[in-house]
Amino acid sequence: MLDIINLAIPYFGLIFVGYICGKAKALPESGLAWMNFFLLYVSLPALLFGIMSRTPFAELNNPPFLIATTLGTMIAFALAMIVGKLIGKLTLREATIAGLAGAYGNIGYMGPGLALAVLGNSAAAPTALIFCCDSIFLFSVVPLLIEMTDREHSSLPHALGVVVKQIVLNPLIMSACLGALCAALHVEFPVALNNTLQFLQNAAAPTALFVLGVTVALRSFERVPWEVPGVIAVKLLIHPLLVFGLMLAFGPFAQPWAATALLMAALPPALNVFVIARQNDTWIEPASVAVLIGTFASVVTLTSVMWAIQTGRLVFP
């Protein structure tokens, strides 16, 4: 158990450091803009590119694994939408963001660093594949549903155009795809370039976790909407259980791959859920609450999953 605590404390510790700083120092939220830009366009793309480019291309060709993990995300998204509709009486537009909160884990800010720390380099390929497939699915279905509820631009061609734009212009997806291409072509980079990429990759996790903590600290709310606990339960409890069952159903998979899938499914709601809610001016306060409570609740749920994996109590046949 001590090993798990030693693994978990640096990750959750950085979040809490950011949270304390955000509460203690009254700095404007606009000050996070450059840090977010660095993460989204520089450091995290470098991390995903490095993971994909160093992975033998043959390891990336695993359709059953891709189907199983993406199906788990799809089901979690649908269940969270249903929870939002039934409990919160949400509109389709609002329920779409609720679905995102129930399916979109912190696979960018927390996922890669945590998976590699818990499972080692064997987690690199499945982490990158899950990130790509989950991102492509969620950044397709969410803009599509949002655009279809837009009275000014409700046509299907316009909605599809928005979806394509979201995917093509996403630096994280494109960097992972470029890394896979380099792996397929066996591209070798100069030492100086490799070292620069390594610097950027090493900065990704601590910066992301600190920014997450500060951003959560700047969120405020007066009440917890009724649907939020249900959505968080989908993300932290049902999503991992779904992925566990799908790993058994579509497997067998190598233990590091199945364990990585479970770990990624157990991550709390991504900070981007709030960002996307604010961009679309819908379900903003509940999204903020879901990220805040989900992040704190995951201290227990995510650490439990890490403990089960590390101690061998969770073994995939």
Side-chain angles (χ1 to χ4, degrees):
M1 189 62 186
L2 182 60
D3 291 340
I4 302 302
I5 293 174
N6 288 335
L7 275 174
I9 283 180
Y11 285 85
F12 289 111
L14 276 173
I15 294 174
F16 285 119
V17 168
Y19 183 84
I20 292 170
C21 291
K23 288 294 187 184
K25 192 68 174 177
L27 296 176
E29 187 175 358
S30 58
L32 291 173
W34 274 110
M35 293 185 75
N36 282 315
F37 181 89
F38 172 74
L39 283 169
L40 184 60
Y41 288 94
V42 183
S43 190
L44 286 173
L47 176 62
L48 289 169
F49 174 83
I51 289 173
M52 293 295 275
S53 63
R54 290 193 301 267
T55 302
F57 188 74
E59 291 186 24
L60 301 177
N61 184 23
N62 196 336
F65 182 80
L66 298 180
I67 293 171
T69 55
T70 308
L71 184 58
T73 300
M74 290 178 175
I75 296 172
F77 179 81
L79 288 176
M81 281 192 71
I82 292 171
V83 167
K85 293 287 285 184
L86 294 181
I87 299 178
K89 309 298 182 184
L90 305 181
T91 65
L92 176 59
R93 190 180 182 90
E94 293 168 331
T96 298
I97 304 300
L100 187 65
Y104 186 18
N106 221 317
I107 53 178
Y109 282 18
M110 293 181 69
L114 188 61
L116 292 173
V118 174
L119 296 163
N121 290 333
S122 58
T127 297
L129 289 174
I130 291 169
F131 179 88
C132 285
C133 290
D134 277 12
S135 297
I136 289 172
F137 164 68
L138 292 169
F139 292 146
S140 297
V141 69
V142 171
L144 184 61
L145 292 174
I146 291 290
E147 288 298 315
M148 293 302 290
T149 63
D150 189 341
R151 295 180 180 179
E152 296 182 4
H153 305 97
S154 58
S155 67
L156 183 59
H158 182 270
L160 292 175
V162 171
V163 168
V164 171
K165 184 178 179 181
Q166 289 268 1
I167 294 174
V168 171
L169 296 182
N170 188 299
L172 302 179
I173 295 175
M174 289 299 102
S175 63
C177 292
L178 182 60
L181 179 62
C182 290
L185 298 176
H186 304 287
V187 176
E188 294 291 337
F189 298 101
V191 173
L193 180 57
N194 270 330
N195 289 341
T196 302
L197 287 172
Q198 193 63 50
F199 276 135
L200 293 173
Q201 293 167 34
N202 292 341
T207 305
L209 296 171
F210 180 81
V211 168
L212 174 60
V214 173
T215 307
V216 166
L218 297 179
R219 305 276 68 79
S220 61
F221 59 92
E222 297 178 358
R223 65 182 185 87
V224 178
W226 289 107
E227 70 274 11
V228 167
V231 169
I232 293 173
V234 170
K235 183 68 207 75
L236 297 182
L237 302 176
I238 297 178
H239 193 185
L241 290 174
L242 283 170
V243 168
F244 179 79
L246 289 166
M247 287 294 103
L248 297 178
F250 283 80
F253 299 107
Q255 174 71 12
W257 282 63
T260 299
L262 183 62
L263 189 65
M264 295 287 276
L267 292 169
L271 178 60
N272 279 345
V273 173
F274 169 74
V275 175
I276 293 170
R278 189 165 57 178
Q279 286 175 344
N280 292 282
D281 194 26
T282 186
W283 211 64
I284 298 174
E285 182 181 340
S288 172
V289 177
V291 172
L292 175 61
I293 297 178
T295 299
F296 287 124
S298 70
V299 174
V300 176
T301 58
L302 182 57
T303 303
S304 298
V305 171
M306 292 166 59
W307 173 80
I309 291 172
Q310 284 288 93
T311 56
R313 284 171 169 77
L314 195 61
V315 178
F316 294 87

